[in-house]
C-alpha cells in the first residue's frame, strides 16, 4: 500500500513539474523593413492561450514545459508556426513576418488576446491607403469620427464623434507617445488639440477608444480618445516628394542615424530623424499660403535585457492666411464667390516643441514599470473676424487670440500579472501629473494691428491623477475589467489687465470604470461597459464661477458585440448612452462659456469588413445618435451642431504586382444648428481615391479627393453678423467651403 501511495505521489510530482508554467517572450518584426509589429497575435496551438504584441512589438506569454506549437500571425503578413522546446524558466524567441495580401482570416475575436480590451488597433495597411494630408487626417480612421477645418490649414480641426460637436477637442482626447495633445484653457477653445506637429509617416500604431471607459485616460476623454505611437525604428530610410493642385507641395525625409552600431553603448540602439515641409496656396480666392515645417527625432536604447529607453523630440512652426467663415447671404447676393472672403486678413501662426523620455523596465516576468517625463512649449497667434462689422462698423470686428504656454508632465505605470483564487489577474496602477503655465490673452485688432486689449491672464493649472485598473479572467470565456480614477486640479489665475491679484480654486473628480467581456464562441464576443469621465472647464471660469463644478461629470454606457462569420466577414455592433452634467459651449472670443444645462445622447453604431477576394476588402460603418438638452423645454432642446447620422466606407485593394489603393466615401447627414431645429446644416457625400504602385525601392502614388467635385460646407454655424452695407446684424449660415476636386501625386524612395 505504501508503495502504491509513494508511486502515486511521485507521479503527481512529475506531472506537476512537467506541466508547470514557463515564460515565452520576444519581439515580432516586419521581416523586410525591420519595423516592430503592434497587435500581432501569438497563439499556443490546441489551447485557448494567446496574446498580442504591445506598442513596441514585444510579447510575453505563459507556456507549459515540453514541445509546444506556437502560431505567430498578423493581418497583412504570412502566418508562421513554430515547434518550440520549452525547458527553462524564460525562453526568448524573436520572429520576423513576411508581408502578404491581407487576409481577414488572421483577425481574432478573442478578449483574452486583446490586451487593451476596449481599444481597437488600427491596422497600418488600411491607414496607408487613406488620403492623409496631415496628422489630423489620421483621426478619420476612427469609425464615426469626422473633422472640419474652418480657419485655414494651420488651425486645429473641429471634431465630431458620438453626437458631440467636440469643437477642437473639448470631449475628445488625443495623445502622442503618452503626451497629451489637448490644451486646457487654450486661447481659442477648451481642450484645443492641434495635431499638425505630427509627421504622419512616423506613426507606427494607433489605439482608439469610444466613450469614457479607459481608466488610464482622464481629461477630455468622454466621447472618445486616440493614442498615437511613433515608430521605435524606421527599418528603411525614406525620401518623399508630393505635388498637387493649388500649388500644394510637400517634401519628407526620414533617415536612420544609428542602428545597432554600439555607438554609445554595448547594447542595441537606434536613432532616426524626420523632416517635413509643406506649402499650400489653397483653393480660396484669397491665397492661404500655408507654410509648415516639422522636425522629429527619436533615440532608442536597450540598456540591458530588462530596461528599454526612448528619448524623442519634435519642433513645428506654421503660418497661414484664412478666409474665415463667410455669410451665405454674401455668396447668394454675388458680393463674393463661394470661395471668397469678407475679411482676407485673417490667419495666424503657431510654434510647438516637445521633449519626451520614456523608460520601460521589466522587473521580472510578471512586473513591468514604465516612466515617462515630457515637456511642451507652445505659442499661438490667431486673427479672426466672426461677426464682421457688427461691433465696429468702420474697421471690422477682428480679434487677436494669443498664448505662450509651457507644459511639464510625468506619466507612470506599473503592471503586475498574478492570480486571484487561481484566476489570472492583471493589475495596473498609474500616476499622472501635468502642470500648465500659460500667458494668454484676447485683443481687438484691425488688419492684424492691435487696437485695444480685452483680457490678459497668467494661468497655472495642475492636474494630479491616480488610477487603478484590474483585469480578471474569471473563466475561459468571461473577463472583467474594473477601474478607479481620481483627478485633482488646482487652478490659479492672475488678471494682468485689472491687477486683481492671484486667485485660486481646487476641484476633484472620482471616476469609476467597469467593463465585461463574454466569449460566446471563438468568433463571437459580447461586451458591456459603464463608466464615468469628465472634461475640465476654463481656469478663468473655474475661479469666477465656484457655483459650477469645474470638472463636469459624463456618464457612459456601451452594450455590443464583435463577431466573425466564416473567414471573410468581421463586424461589430454597439448601442451607447452618454449623459453630461453640463453642456458647455465655449466662447473663446469672449473668454467664457455658455452652459446649456444637462444633456443626454443615445446612439448605435455598426461596422463591418468583408473580403470577397484575396486582394480586395470592403468595409463600411454607420453611426446614428440623437441628443437633447435636459433642462430645456421640449421642441427647443436639440443640441446644436450635433451630428445625427454619419457613415464611411469603401473598398481597399492590394495586388501582388505592387498595385494597391482604395476608393472610399464619407457621408455626414443633416444636423440641427439651433435648438428648435428650424435651421439645419446640409448633408454632404464625398468620394476619395488613392492609387499606388509599390516596389521594394520606390512607390508612386496618386490621391484624389472629392472625385465628383461636390460643392459642400466643411464647417457651418448659424450666428449673427453684419456686412458693411447693412444697417442691422442678421442671423445667417456662416461657413467654410470644403475642398473641391483635388489631386496630388507623390514619389517615395526607400533605401
Amino acid at each position: 500500500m505504501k508503495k502504491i501511495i509513494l508511486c502515486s505521489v511521485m507521479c503527481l510530482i512529475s506531472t506537476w513539474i512537467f506541466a508547470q508554467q514557463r515564460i515565452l517572450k520576444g519581439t515580432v518584426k516586419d521581416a523586410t523593413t525591420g519595423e516592430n509589429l503592434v497587435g500581432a497575435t501569438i497563439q499556443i496551438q490546441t489551447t485557448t492561450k494567446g496574446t498580442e504584441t504591445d506598442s513596441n512589438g514585444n510579447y510575453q506569454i505563459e507556456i507549459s514545459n515540453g514541445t509546444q506549437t506556437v502560431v505567430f500571425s498578423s493581418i497583412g503578413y504570412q502566418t508562421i508556426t513554430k515547434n518550440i522546446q520549452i525547458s527553462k524558466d524564460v525562453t526568448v524567441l524573436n520572429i520576423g513576418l513576411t508581408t502578404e495580401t491581407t487576409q481577414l482570416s488572421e483577425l481574432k475575436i478573442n478578449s483574452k488576446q486583446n490586451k487593451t480590451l476596449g481599444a481597437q488597433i488600427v491596422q497600418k495597411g488600411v491607414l496607408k491607403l487613406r488620403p492623409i494630408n496631415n496628422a489630423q487626417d489620421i483621426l478619420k480612421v476612427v469609425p464615426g469620427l469626422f473633422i472640419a477645418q474652418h480657419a485655414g490649414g494651420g488651425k486645429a480641426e473641429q471634431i465630431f464623434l458620438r453626437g458631440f460637436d467636440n469643437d477642437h477637442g473639448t470631449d475628445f482626447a488625443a495623445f502622442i507617445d503618452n503626451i497629451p495633445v489637448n490644451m486646457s484653457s487654450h486661447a481659442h477653445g477648451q481642450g484645443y488639440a492641434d495635431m499638425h506637429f505630427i509627421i504622419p509617416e512616423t506613426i507606427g500604431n494607433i489605439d482608439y477608444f469610444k466613450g469614457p471607459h479607459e481608466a488610464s485616460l482622464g481629461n477630455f476623454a468622454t466621447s472618445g480618445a486616440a493614442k498615437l505611437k511613433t515608430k521605435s525604428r524606421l527599418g528603411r530610410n525614406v525620401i518623399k516628394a508630393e505635388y498637387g493642385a493649388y500649388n500644394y507641395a510637400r517634401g519628407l525625409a526620414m533617415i536612420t542615424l544609428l542602428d545597432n552600431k554600439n555607438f554609445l553603448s554595448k547594447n542595441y540602439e537606434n536613432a532616426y530623424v524626420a523632416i517635413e515641409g509643406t506649402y499650400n496656396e489653397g483653393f480660396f480666392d484669397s491665397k492661404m499660403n500655408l507654410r509648415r515645417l516639422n522636425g522629429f527625432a527619436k533615440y532608442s536604447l536597450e540598456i540591458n535585457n530588462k530596461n528599454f529607453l526612448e528619448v524623442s523630440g519634435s519642433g513645428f512652426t506654421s503660418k497661414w492666411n484664412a478666409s474665415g467663415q463667410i455669410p451665405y447671404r454674401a455668396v447668394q447676393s454675388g458680393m463674393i464667390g463661394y470661395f471668397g472672403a469678407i475679411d482676407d486678413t485673417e490667419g495666424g501662426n503657431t510654434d510647438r516643441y516637445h521633449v519626451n523620455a520614456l523608460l520601460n523596465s521589466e522587473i521580472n516576468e510578471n512586473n513591468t514599470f514604465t516612466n515617462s517625463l515630457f515637456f511642451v512649449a507652445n505659442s499661438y497667434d490667431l486673427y479672426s473676424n466672426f461677426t464682421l462689422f457688427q461691433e465696429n462698423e468702420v474697421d471690422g470686428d477682428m480679434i487677436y487670440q494669443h498664448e505662450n504656454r509651457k507644459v511639464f508632465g510625468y506619466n507612470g505605470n506599473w503592471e503586475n500579472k498574478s492570480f486571484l483564487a487561481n484566476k489570472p489577474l492583471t493589475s495596473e496602477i498609474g500616476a499622472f501629473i501635468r502642470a500648465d503655465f500659460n500667458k494668454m490673452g484676447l485683443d481687438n485688432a484691425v488688419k492684424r494691428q492691435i487696437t485695444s486689449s480685452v483680457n490678459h491672464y497668467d494661468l497655472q493649472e495642475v492636474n494630479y491623477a491616480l488610477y487603478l485598473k484590474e483585469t480578471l479572467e474569471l473563466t475561459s470565456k468571461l473577463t472583467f475589467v474594473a477601474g478607479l480614477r481620481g483627478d485633482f486640479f488646482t487652478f490659479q489665475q492672475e488678471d494682468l489687465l485689472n491687477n486683481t491679484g492671484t486667485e485660486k480654486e481646487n476641484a476633484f473628480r472620482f471616476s469609476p470604470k467597469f467593463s465585461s467581456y463574454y466569449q460566446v464562441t471563438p468568433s463571437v464576443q459580447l461586451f458591456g461597459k459603464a463608466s464615468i469621465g469628465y472634461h475640465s472647464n476654463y481656469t478663468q471660469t473655474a475661479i469666477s464661477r465656484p457655483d459650477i463644478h469645474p470638472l463636469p461629470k459624463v456618464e457612459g454606457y456601451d452594450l455590443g458585440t464583435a463577431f466573425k462569420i466564416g473567414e471573410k466577414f468581421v463586424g461589430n455592433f454597439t448601442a451607447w448612452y452618454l449623459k453630461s452634467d453640463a453642456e458647455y459651449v465655449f466662447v473663446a472670443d469672449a473668454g467664457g462659456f455658455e452652459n446649456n444645462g444637462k444633456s443626454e445622447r443615445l446612439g448605435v453604431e455598426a461596422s463591418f469588413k468583408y473580403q470577397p477576394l484575396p486582394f480586395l476588402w470592403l468595409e463600411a460603418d454607420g453611426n446614428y445618435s440623437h441628443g437633447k438638452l435636459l433642462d430645456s423645454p421640449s421642441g427647443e432642446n436639440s443640441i446644436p451642431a450635433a451630428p445625427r447620422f454619419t457613415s464611411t466606407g469603401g473598398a481597399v485593394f492590394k495586388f501582388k504586382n505592387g498595385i494597391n489603393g482604395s476608393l472610399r466615401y464619407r457621408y455626414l447627414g443633416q444636423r440641427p444648428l439651433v435648438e428648435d431645429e428650424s435651421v439645419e446644416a446640409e448633408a454632404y457625400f464625398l468620394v476619395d481615391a488613392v492609387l499606388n504602385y509599390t516596389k521594394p525601392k520606390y512607390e508612386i502614388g496618386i490621391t484624389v479627393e472629392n472625385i465628383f467635385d461636390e460643392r459642400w460646407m466643411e464647417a457651418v454655424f448659424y450666428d449673427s453678423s453684419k456686412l458693411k452695407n447693412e444697417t442691422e446684424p442678421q442671423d445667417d449660415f456662416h461657413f467654410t467651403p470644403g475642398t473641391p476636386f483635388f489631386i496630388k501625386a507623390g514619389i517615395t524612395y526607400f533605401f
Side-chain angles (χ1 to χ4, degrees):
M1 184 66 180
K2 291 182 180 180
K3 291 183 178 180
I4 294 175
I5 293 174
L6 181 61
C7 182
S8 299
V9 170
M10 292 180 65
C11 288
L12 287 172
I13 292 174
S14 60
T15 301
W16 175 81
I17 293 173
F18 179 78
Q20 67 177 304
Q21 298 296 294
R22 308 293 191 183
I23 298 294
L24 175 66
K25 59 185 290 188
T27 304
V28 180
K29 295 178 178 289
D30 183 309
T32 302
T33 68
E35 293 181 30
N36 299 332
L37 295 182
V38 180
T41 300
I42 297 89
Q43 180 76 39
I44 301 175
Q45 207 169 66
T46 70
T47 75
T48 60
K49 284 190 175 181
T51 188
E52 290 182 344
T53 53
D54 61 18
S55 58
N56 291 314
N58 299 320
Y59 72 91
Q60 179 175 302
I61 190 171
E62 290 186 342
I63 192 168
S64 301
N65 272 334
T67 302
Q68 301 291 335
T69 302
V70 184
V71 181
F72 297 85
S73 62
S74 182
I75 291 182
Y77 291 86
Q78 294 180 6
T79 298
I80 289 182
T81 301
K82 291 280 188 180
N83 292 318
I84 307 167
Q85 182 63 39
I86 304 297
S87 59
K88 51 186 179 180
D89 289 343
V90 180
T91 300
V92 178
L93 179 63
N94 297 322
I95 294 294
L97 297 182
T98 304
T99 58
E100 69 168 2
T101 303
T102 299
Q103 301 294 326
L104 280 182
S105 59
E106 305 296 344
L107 185 61
K108 308 297 182 184
I109 307 295
N110 189 333
S111 63
K112 295 184 71 174
Q113 294 176 1
N114 187 353
K115 291 183 177 181
T116 50
L117 286 174
Q120 295 78 37
I121 295 176
V122 179
Q123 299 299 325
K124 290 181 288 183
V126 178
L127 177 63
K128 183 180 177 182
L129 300 178
R130 302 284 182 93
I132 301 293
N133 291 317
N134 56 66
Q136 208 91 16
D137 285 340
I138 293 176
L139 293 181
K140 292 178 182 177
V141 304
V142 179
L145 188 149
F146 277 66
I147 64 173
Q149 176 60 261
H150 58 86
K155 197 181 83 169
E157 278 79 357
Q158 190 177 6
I159 300 172
F160 301 96
L161 180 67
R162 281 198 165 182
F164 277 86
D165 172 6
N166 290 291
D167 196 21
H168 300 289
T170 305
D171 288 282
F172 185 86
F175 301 83
I176 177 74
D177 291 337
N178 284 334
I179 302 174
V181 176
N182 300 70
M183 298 292 182
S184 57
S185 303
H186 189 270
H188 186 69
Q190 179 65 335
Y192 186 86
D194 186 355
M195 299 176 63
H196 292 111
F197 69 92
I198 301 171
I199 301 174
E201 287 83 355
T202 63
I203 301 302
N205 181 59
I206 307 173
D207 289 343
Y208 67 85
F209 304 79
K210 296 284 192 72
H213 306 295
E214 174 55 40
S216 64
L217 306 179
N219 201 6
F220 308 118
T222 52
S223 71
K227 295 183 70 173
L228 285 68
K229 176 78 167 60
T230 57
K231 298 175 181 178
S232 298
R233 181 176 186 266
L234 291 182
R236 54 184 178 177
N237 299 325
V238 175
I239 294 179
K240 185 175 186 177
E242 294 179 322
Y243 185 78
Y246 317 113
N247 283 328
Y248 169 88
R250 177 175 180 259
L252 169 71
M254 302 201 308
I255 307 295
T256 298
L257 304 178
L258 293 172
D259 190 21
N260 202 26
K261 294 182 180 180
N262 302 323
F263 179 65
L264 298 177
S265 75
K266 295 181 180 180
N267 300 312
Y268 171 79
E269 57 186 334
N270 180 272
Y272 71 88
V273 295
I275 300 175
E276 173 198 42
T278 303
Y279 175 76
N280 188 9
E281 283 189 359
F283 50 83
F284 301 96
D285 294 343
S286 179
K287 302 303 182 186
M288 181 171 62
N289 289 334
L290 170 67
R291 291 144 289 169
R292 184 167 61 233
L293 181 64
N294 296 42
F296 178 76
K298 191 169 189 177
Y299 171 72
S300 304
L301 170 65
E302 188 180 273
I303 300 173
N304 51 45
N305 60 358
K306 297 285 187 180
N307 295 278
F308 186 77
L309 174 69
E310 289 187 344
V311 179
S312 61
S314 77
F316 156 74
T317 183
S318 178
K319 294 183 179 181
W320 71 97
N321 300 320
S323 296
Q325 294 130 61
I326 56 177
Y328 190 51
R329 62 186 185 277
V331 176
Q332 288 181 308
S333 67
M335 177 185 293
I336 59 173
Y338 194 79
F339 300 102
I342 300 296
D343 186 347
D344 62 0
T345 62
E346 296 187 50
N349 57 273
T350 184
D351 298 278
R352 186 190 186 280
Y353 304 90
H354 83 241
V355 178
N356 186 37
L358 184 147
L359 177 64
N360 192 306
S361 301
E362 181 185 320
I363 301 171
N364 53 45
E365 288 79 10
N366 295 315
N367 290 274
T368 57
F369 193 25
T370 302
N371 290 277
S372 65
L373 293 170
F374 60 87
F375 168 75
V376 180
N378 185 74
S379 64
Y380 179 88
D381 299 278
L382 182 69
Y383 297 89
S384 306
N385 189 345
F386 300 111
T387 55
L388 305 176
F389 295 91
Q390 183 168 302
E391 303 298 331
N392 186 331
E393 296 182 351
V394 177
D395 297 319
D397 301 344
M398 175 169 281
I399 59 172
Y400 168 49
Q401 297 164 310
H402 54 93
E403 73 166 50
N404 197 317
R405 178 190 302 257
K406 304 291 188 296
V407 183
F408 300 86
Y410 165 78
N411 225 323
N413 172 281
W414 172 64
E415 183 179 286
N416 169 261
K417 295 179 184 292
S418 60
F419 291 88
L420 179 64
N422 296 321
K423 306 299 182 183
L425 177 70
T426 300
S427 302
E428 185 179 329
I429 298 175
F432 174 77
I433 301 173
R434 170 179 173 168
D436 285 61
F437 302 88
N438 185 21
K439 290 187 176 181
M440 54 92 71
L442 173 66
D443 301 315
N444 293 314
V446 175
K447 296 183 178 180
R448 300 199 186 189
Q449 298 299 312
I450 308 302
T451 57
S452 62
S453 294
V454 179
N455 60 60
H456 283 193
Y457 293 104
D458 187 348
L459 306 178
Q460 294 183 25
E461 181 180 312
V462 184
N463 176 200
Y464 307 89
L466 290 173
Y467 74 88
L468 170 66
K469 180 180 175 182
E470 301 283 357
T471 304
L472 177 65
E473 296 178 16
L474 192 62
T475 70
S476 61
K477 292 187 175 183
L478 183 61
T479 300
F480 290 129
V481 182
L484 298 174
R485 182 183 179 93
D487 285 89
F488 180 74
F489 278 75
T490 64
F491 301 96
Q492 180 174 308
Q493 167 187 296
E494 181 181 356
D495 190 330
L496 300 177
L497 288 183
N498 298 317
N499 298 316
T500 55
T502 300
E503 300 174 275
K504 298 181 180 180
E505 185 64 46
N506 298 328
F508 177 77
R509 172 61 66 197
F510 177 69
S511 305
K513 321 274 186 178
F514 180 78
S515 302
S516 61
Y517 300 81
Y518 183 68
Q519 202 71 37
V520 182
T521 71
S523 298
V524 178
Q525 178 190 115
L526 303 177
F527 58 84
K529 307 175 185 181
S531 305
I532 287 176
Y534 74 95
H535 73 236
S536 63
N537 205 337
Y538 279 128
T539 293
Q540 304 94 306
T541 307
I543 290 174
S544 64
R545 293 290 302 275
D547 57 311
I548 298 178
H549 200 298
L551 311 174
K553 178 179 65 176
V554 175
E555 297 177 34
Y557 303 89
D558 282 44
L559 184 65
T561 179
F563 56 90
K564 186 174 183 179
I565 301 175
E567 296 295 319
K568 297 182 178 181
F569 188 97
V570 176
N572 69 270
F573 177 85
T574 304
W576 57 268
Y577 174 83
L578 287 167
K579 182 179 180 181
S580 177
D581 277 359
E583 188 71 19
Y584 288 160
V585 179
F586 291 96
V587 187
D589 50 310
F593 76 103
E594 299 172 359
N595 185 4
N596 290 331
K598 295 182 179 180
S599 66
E600 67 177 7
R601 293 168 171 84
L602 179 68
V604 293
E605 51 195 27
S607 66
F608 77 87
K609 286 183 173 61
Y610 175 57
Q611 189 173 19
L613 298 168
F615 55 83
L616 180 65
W617 275 14
L618 301 176
E619 56 182 2
D621 68 73
N623 311 272
Y624 176 80
S625 66
H626 187 273
K628 60 183 179 180
L629 302 172
L630 299 178
D631 296 335
S632 300
S634 179
E636 299 178 12
N637 61 347
S638 292
I639 302 175
R644 293 284 175 82
F645 180 74
T646 66
S647 180
T648 62
V652 179
F653 56 91
K654 184 177 181 180
F655 297 103
K656 292 183 178 181
N657 62 5
I659 296 175
N660 58 85
S662 65
L663 182 67
R664 298 191 55 81
Y665 75 86
R666 45 195 163 114
Y667 173 79
L668 180 64
Q670 283 184 304
R671 56 200 185 278
L673 294 179
V674 294
E675 287 82 354
D676 63 3
E677 299 193 23
S678 59
V679 179
E680 292 187 318
E682 291 185 354
Y684 63 76
F685 181 89
L686 306 172
V687 180
D688 307 318
V690 175
L691 181 63
N692 295 319
Y693 181 62
T694 306
K695 289 297 182 180
K697 287 291 185 180
Y698 66 91
E699 179 179 81
I700 300 172
I702 295 175
T703 298
V704 181
E705 294 184 50
N706 194 0
I707 291 176
F708 300 111
D709 198 21
E710 295 293 326
R711 181 161 285 193
W712 60 294
M713 298 180 181
E714 183 165 10
V716 57
F717 307 88
Y718 193 76
D719 298 308
S720 67
S721 66
K722 182 176 177 294
L723 298 173
K724 201 162 189 177
N725 61 350
E726 293 176 336
T727 57
E728 295 293 334
Q730 296 188 32
D731 291 334
D732 196 4
F733 293 97
H734 293 76
F735 72 98
T736 299
T739 306
F741 178 87
F742 172 81
I743 185 171
K744 69 174 181 178
I747 183 167
T748 306
Y749 175 60
F750 307 109
F751 62 100

